[in-house]
Amino acid sequence: MRTLDQLVDEGLAGRTVLVRSDLNVPLDGDRITDDGRIRASVPTIATLTAAGARVIVTAHLGRPDGKPSPEFSLEPVAARLGELLGRPVRLEQLGDGISGHTDGEVVLLDNIRFDPRETAKDDAERAGLARELAALTGENGAVVSDGFGVVHRKQASVYDVAHDLPAYAGRLVADEVAVLRRLTEDPDRPFVVVLGGSKVSDKLGVIEALLPKVDSLLVGGGMCFTFLAAQGHDVGASLLETDQIATCRTLLESGKIVLPSDVVVADEFAAHAAIRVVSADAVPDGWMGLDIGPASVRAFATVISGAASVFWNGPMGVFEMVPFAEGTRGVAQAIVGSDAFSVVGGGDSAAAVRLLGLPEDGFSHISTGGGASLEYLEGKQLPGLAVLDGSRS
Ligand code: ADP
Ligand code: MG
């Protein structure tokens, strides 16, 4: 993989560089509720502008279904990116072309998913859009892949464009890959993985891939109930994937999976529900488990405090509601308090860190890509990374 430093060393004055960033941030109207991904995109863009490049950033926002629509415009993102870079960011529509681009100036193309070819299954359609993007860079252009959150997608601006321009890994992509490689190839031990979130079926691939490599796998969140059911317990009205029970039973044979001993149950899925803490093998009929209990937090924290590497994906409970946030908070605090090399992967887990006011620098790395980081840990080939290795020189 060629690096950003190599590109800078080639000399960038007068050259135009296309950067694929991941600026897919949560919005409430046109207010950005979490700008983590925008901040993560800054180092690469700032490096390029400092080296004198004319930078064209391309990115997507949400799922606009292949047609322009104001609610999915990157306009608020352009404003925030400009503040963070300390220089204006000009928003342009793809079809309009870019005129008067000066050295060091940043242009942001509006949502690339306004064009249906971005996510087309048809290779020729995607290639057509990729050629248009490449042509914007004129003579002697280059593309920098920095949208880690999309490298698992075979899309025009992520994958195909690297066939039309010499391609380089941006800082964020390089950092994310280095961290995940360390966890998959040579983790410091004990290596503890903490998994939560809603569905076992979403995470089965990563559980199967990581189980042989980890020393302990702590399971909370909605997915723990399918494991508890696999041990023969009644889980009441908790999330349960009956078609995964047999698989969970097999996974439990590894002896490495630690389940909660107590859970917080509620009589309905609401912040104002009646709440009880019960033993994990005694969830009352009709009640649903929405968080791990305090004894489980203590037990998980003890395992985490002895770890040398920790990977955490998926909240321990429905952290969006105050009464069910303590399990996630407790586990996150244990990770922050440990000396382990710690990585958070997963959109909701990263959001939980910020929502609960935990210090982001308390973790060694917070991944910007949930799906991409899980697929990397599963050992899958990610098209956006593979193409960088084979890019045109
Ligand atoms: P990530 O994005 O970090 O990979 P997921 O998307 O897998 O995480 O899961 C996040 C969701 O899981 C959150 O919205 C949270 O409310 C939900 N969740 C966690 N625990 C439970 C539970 N016990 N029951 C239902 N939903 C849960
Ligand atoms: Mg999620």
Side-chain angles (χ1 to χ4, degrees):
M1 242 171 17
R2 274 172 303 191
T3 64
L4 190 67
D5 293 331
Q6 285 171 275
L7 178 59
V8 169
D9 286 346
E10 288 175 19
L12 284 171
R15 289 175 72 185
T16 303
V17 178
L18 181 73
V19 180
R20 178 46 159 117
S21 298
D22 176 10
L23 304 176
N24 188 27
V25 290
L27 287 176
D28 179 9
D30 57 8
R31 192 177 63 87
I32 297 163
T33 54
D34 179 3
D35 67 358
R37 282 177 162 163
I38 306 178
R39 282 186 281 127
S41 75
V42 165
T44 291
I45 299 170
T47 299
L48 290 167
T49 54
R54 303 169 184 184
V55 176
I56 302 173
V57 180
T58 176
H60 75 283
L61 183 71
R63 295 173 186 271
D65 266 349
K67 50 181 184 299
S69 81
E71 64 178 303
F72 291 108
S73 170
L74 283 169
E75 202 175 324
V77 172
R80 182 70 185 129
L81 181 60
E83 283 169 19
L84 291 165
L85 286 169
R87 60 171 76 224
V89 171
R90 169 150 63 106
L91 186 72
E92 293 281 2
Q93 304 303 313
L94 176 63
D96 296 348
I98 296 165
S99 55
H101 201 176
T102 54
D103 286 3
E105 191 191 12
V106 178
V107 170
L108 173 62
L109 293 178
D110 211 345
N111 199 335
I112 190 68
R113 290 192 188 165
F114 285 169
D115 191 313
R117 295 173 295 173
E118 168 69 356
T119 57
K121 292 273 174 292
D122 185 79
D123 291 347
E125 284 181 37
R126 287 198 320 276
L129 174 57
R131 270 194 304 276
E132 275 175 40
L133 288 170
L136 293 174
T137 64
E139 290 284 297
N140 208 8
V143 61
V144 173
S145 172
D146 207 35
F148 181 72
V150 285
V151 291
H152 59 316
R153 304 287 187 208
K154 195 172 182 178
Q155 297 177 344
S157 67
V158 178
Y159 172 80
D160 301 87
V161 73
H163 293 128
D164 295 307
L165 290 171
Y168 300 77
R171 288 245 195 289
L172 179 62
V173 161
D175 288 353
E176 295 260 16
V177 168
V179 162
L180 294 173
R181 181 176 293 153
R182 178 166 164 187
L183 285 185
T184 45
E185 285 176 5
D186 189 21
D188 291 335
R189 295 189 176 279
F191 177 22
V192 175
V193 169
V194 188
L195 286 182
S198 43
K199 288 163 133 189
V200 189
S201 47
D202 285 353
K203 311 266 165 105
L204 210 53
V206 78
I207 297 174
E208 284 173 346
L210 286 179
L211 207 48
K213 299 181 180 171
V214 305
D215 297 289
S216 306
L217 175 64
L218 314 179
V219 178
M223 70 159 81
C224 75
F225 297 98
T226 304
F227 282 97
L228 290 167
Q231 288 184 325
H233 305 310
D234 256 327
V235 297
S238 308
L239 265 189
L240 175 64
E241 289 178 90
T242 44
D243 55 340
Q244 304 294 336
I245 292 177
T247 310
C248 288
R249 198 172 289 134
T250 312
L251 293 170
L252 285 168
E253 285 168 11
S254 68
K256 293 178 179 176
I257 297 180
V258 183
L259 297 175
S261 58
D262 62 344
V263 291
V264 179
V265 296
D267 64 348
E268 61 175 309
F269 190 85
H272 60 257
I275 287 166
R276 285 156 65 179
V277 175
V278 299
S279 171
D281 59 5
V283 176
D285 233 20
W287 290 62
M288 59 188 83
L290 296 182
D291 197 9
I292 61 172
S296 307
V297 171
R298 283 193 297 276
F300 284 14
T302 302
V303 177
I304 290 165
S305 69
S309 316
V310 179
F311 175 70
W312 170 37
N313 170 281
M316 296 292 100
V318 184
F319 71 96
E320 299 93 334
M321 295 187 220
V322 172
F324 314 113
E326 289 313 299
T328 303
R329 183 193 304 282
V331 163
Q333 272 167 346
I335 298 173
V336 169
S338 84
D339 298 327
F341 176 67
S342 56
V343 180
V344 183
D348 290 286
S349 319
V353 166
R354 294 188 272 259
L355 186 81
L356 300 176
L358 292 151
E360 285 179 65
D361 59 4
F363 302 87
S364 309
H365 182 77
I366 300 181
S367 178
T368 56
S373 61
L374 288 181
E375 288 196 18
Y376 189 99
L377 293 173
E378 277 173 47
K380 287 190 182 162
Q381 204 195 56
L382 311 188
L385 296 180
V387 77
L388 293 181
D389 292 323
S391 166
R392 202 193 91 175
S393 47

